[in-house]
Amino acid sequence: MTTLQQIVLDFEAALLNGVRTGADEAGLTTIRDQAFDRLLEVKEGPGAPPLETIFDVAAEIGLKLSMALETIRS
């Protein structure tokens, strides 16, 4: 079973790798979309955490994507 923490850790690793290897905005957005897809699977699965927790994780992912986009734009 995928945990929310694992989704965030995997997202961070993929995002950092994307920035390091020169990914463009579309590439980084794809990484975010994949993390959101995993969140959706957790939300719809058995024993899903409260929606508020899932929204908090989604907001964290969105914030980290924003920071990465600022990095590649500068």
Side-chain angles (χ1 to χ4, degrees):
M1 180 172 147
T2 300
T3 65
L4 297 178
Q5 182 179 17
Q6 190 62 51
I7 292 171
V8 172
L9 291 174
D10 292 348
F11 169 74
E12 289 173 346
L15 193 65
L16 288 171
N17 187 54
V19 170
R20 185 176 26 254
T21 60
D24 60 6
E25 188 171 333
L28 298 182
T29 302
T30 298
I31 294 167
R32 187 243 2 239
D33 292 345
Q34 291 168 346
F36 281 175
D37 288 345
R38 291 179 67 195
L39 276 179
L40 186 58
E41 289 174 11
V42 169
K43 175 187 160 283
E44 295 175 347
L51 275 179
E52 181 178 330
T53 303
I54 292 173
F55 289 147
D56 288 345
V57 171
E60 180 180 350
I61 288 170
L63 177 63
K64 290 178 180 184
L65 174 64
S66 294
M67 291 188 299
L69 292 174
E70 284 298 313
T71 300
I72 67 169
R73 291 178 186 147
S74 61

